[in-house]
Amino acid sequence: MKTLFTMGAAPPNPRSHPYPARVRACRVLALTVGAALAVACGDTNPPAASYDSIGSSSSSSSSSSSSSSSSGSTSTEDAGGGMDAGTSDAADASDAYVPPPPSQCNPTMSLGATTKVLGESATDERFAGITRDERTIAWTAGGSVYIADRDSADGTFGAPQLVTSSAVADGVAISHDGTYLVAVGADRRSFLPFEREERTGAFAAASDAPFATLIDTLDATESIGDPVFVNSEVVLLYSVYGKSADTFRLAGRISIFASFFPSSTLAFEELRAQGTARRRPTGTGDDFQTIFYWDEVTQTEKLARLNGSEQILSVQDLGARPWAQTNASCDRVYFGAGDLAFATAK
């Protein structure tokens, strides 16, 4: 991933480093919505719809395109009132449909046999997250969050470590290196961040300042949940529910030193709540062209294939494998309620 700017030498624990005042300006929001989301989707061949336009409706995008075309036509008329042919051809080409590049995760995947990863589990345990390298796993049991580490993707997980007992049974966003995680507070209106200096260390409470703006934007009737980090923690996918049926939200920031700002709502019919039954994000591919989500309507896990912010191209039903997340190569999917397990993606 490209670095957007240099912030100087990182302290031993970079997420504890105060966010420089020179960056706390209004331009942060613009950079967050545009650059951070674009970076999260990869440096090359982004989806057809750029991520700096996420949240704009199709109609507004069409209007903007029409306005731009009209403006361009006016400015390129020659003295005889004719249109410059080259400009006209370019405008037609820009309006043509551009299919998205192949996604990292197979959008029509099926899952093989289930393999338990933690032996026997309590009935109230639910899978909550795993690092891309598969070396740190998180789960909840009631209001408690636990993690376990291992030396390799095929190794045995060590003893469970209790992170907090002040959370709610929900997803847990975990950094790619397993040193930072974010749980959902018991009030369902707060994010609870924790950090450790190294992977073998114990977690301690971290500052919740990076999430303050997300919390401040909540309506009195709204709750939050289902946090998922995208790419290297510069984008957060999460849920806001209790008011609108469109509950999938994105927030971005320009680096792991920065605060998150809400950037868009994924207002797709396939992701929309039906009454109190929600569709809940559980994971993504690193290229953000696929989203895993638990469908409370059908009680199955699903995989949606995105075309940027324009549409969902397909939805694959993965069956009763709740709270799924994938590894870095998207060939192994972790999930579970009761038993924490994985299956090979085909």
Side-chain angles (χ1 to χ4, degrees):
M1 186 181 76
K2 294 180 181 178
T3 302
L4 295 180
F5 60 88
T6 302
M7 299 191 67
N13 193 329
R15 294 180 184 85
S16 296
H17 185 63
Y19 186 40
R22 63 184 172 83
V23 189
R24 290 198 302 265
C26 293
R27 63 189 180 87
V28 170
L29 181 57
L31 285 171
T32 301
V33 174
L37 290 175
V39 168
C41 299
D43 295 329
T44 59
N45 297 325
S50 63
Y51 283 82
D52 57 3
S53 64
I54 287 182
S56 300
S57 66
S58 298
S59 59
S60 63
S61 298
S62 299
S63 299
S64 297
S65 298
S66 300
S67 298
S68 298
S69 298
S70 299
S71 175
S73 299
T74 302
S75 62
T76 55
E77 289 180 359
D78 58 25
M83 177 73 70
D84 179 73
T87 302
S88 178
D89 291 343
D92 291 343
S94 67
D95 291 337
Y97 171 74
V98 180
S103 61
Q104 177 194 25
C105 297
N106 176 9
T108 61
M109 73 166 60
S110 60
L111 299 179
T114 296
T115 301
K116 293 182 181 180
V117 294
L118 288 177
E120 295 301 320
S121 302
T123 56
D124 65 341
E125 290 183 355
R126 60 149 283 185
F127 173 75
I130 194 159
T131 53
R132 294 300 200 194
D133 63 6
E134 305 170 69
R135 291 179 51 201
T136 300
I137 190 171
W139 68 97
T140 61
S144 297
V145 175
Y146 297 87
I147 65 99
D149 299 302
R150 60 183 176 184
D151 295 330
S152 70
D154 294 316
T156 301
F157 281 106
Q161 177 190 148
L162 175 64
V163 178
T164 180
S165 294
S166 300
V168 69
D170 209 312
V172 173
I174 313 177
S175 65
H176 69 284
D177 61 359
T179 63
Y180 186 72
L181 67 81
V182 180
V184 178
D187 60 356
R188 300 182 188 270
R189 289 178 59 84
S190 58
F191 285 129
L192 306 179
F194 298 86
E195 61 189 354
R196 56 183 176 178
E197 296 292 342
E198 55 187 2
R199 208 163 204 158
T200 57
F203 278 96
S207 171
D208 62 357
F211 306 94
T213 301
L214 306 186
I215 304 305
D216 289 345
T217 60
L218 291 176
D219 185 83
T221 62
E222 292 179 322
S223 300
I224 56 172
D226 313 309
V228 177
F229 281 136
V230 182
N231 203 268
S232 296
E233 299 91 63
V234 294
V235 175
L236 182 71
L237 173 65
Y238 65 109
S239 294
V240 174
Y241 59 97
K243 184 177 181 181
S244 170
D246 293 316
T247 62
F248 279 57
R249 305 298 170 87
L250 283 172
R253 58 182 177 177
I254 54 178
S255 80
I256 62 171
F257 298 95
S259 295
F260 282 103
F261 289 88
S263 58
S264 62
T265 298
L266 298 182
F268 298 119
E269 179 64 34
E270 295 88 342
L271 306 180
R272 194 161 290 147
Q274 293 186 12
T276 59
R278 293 190 287 127
R279 277 69 182 240
R280 303 175 59 177
T282 63
T284 73
D286 273 341
D287 58 1
F288 202 67
Q289 294 190 67
T290 48
I291 293 179
F292 292 84
Y293 65 97
W294 176 248
D295 191 333
E296 292 183 343
V297 178
T298 62
Q299 291 295 298
T300 57
E301 185 74 17
K302 293 182 177 177
L303 176 63
R305 169 72 159 105
L306 304 178
N307 180 8
S309 64
E310 296 301 313
Q311 63 186 139
I312 287 181
L313 299 176
S314 64
V315 174
Q316 180 76 352
D317 196 313
L318 300 178
R321 295 178 171 93
W323 322 118
Q325 284 189 17
T326 183
N327 62 353
S329 55
C330 213
D331 58 7
R332 190 180 279 182
V333 177
Y334 289 79
F335 54 87
D339 291 324
L340 279 60
F342 74 87
T344 300
K346 302 178 181 179

